[in-house]
Amino acid sequence: MIPDHAQPRLAGGVRLEIDGTTGKAVLLFPEGILELNETAQEIVTRCDGHSVNEIVLGLAQEYDVDLEMLAADVRETLADLERRKLVEFA
């Protein structure tokens, strides 16, 4: 379980870009590229010093969704990105 106060950030060598051909958000890293869906893009753009709790609350203010479900989705996305070594926590 990722704690509320954890601050996710992109791992070294990873960067978020918009693919010039498709217009979709992608994470570029030395081993390849990962296309992000809209939800993952919204989460990753907030991985800049914000805590997990701040990311969840910010998304909840922007979108009309269930807070518990949103928090679970954010943690699941971040955990998947951490497993892939694309995100680190401070």
Side-chain angles (χ1 to χ4, degrees):
M1 175 95 168
I2 300 169
D4 287 343
H5 66 276
Q7 295 176 312
R9 64 174 183 262
L10 293 178
V14 178
R15 65 183 196 270
L16 174 65
E17 295 205 1
I18 302 299
D19 184 289
T21 305
T22 65
K24 295 188 178 200
V26 295
L27 286 180
L28 300 176
F29 51 100
E31 296 83 23
I33 184 171
L34 176 66
E35 186 176 302
L36 301 176
N37 63 29
E38 288 181 41
T39 304
Q41 178 184 354
E42 289 292 332
I43 294 167
V44 169
T45 59
R46 290 168 169 81
C47 291
D48 58 0
H50 291 91
S51 69
V52 171
N53 193 48
E54 291 170 332
I55 292 170
V56 170
L57 293 176
L59 289 169
Q61 288 176 348
E62 203 168 317
Y63 301 97
D64 184 25
V65 294
D66 177 73
L67 189 60
E68 286 184 33
M69 195 161 70
L70 175 62
D73 286 348
V74 168
R75 283 185 170 79
E76 182 181 328
T77 298
L78 290 172
D80 181 51
L81 293 172
E82 181 184 35
R83 275 191 298 277
R84 295 174 186 231
K85 300 190 184 321
L86 300 174
V87 167
E88 303 170 335
F89 292 93

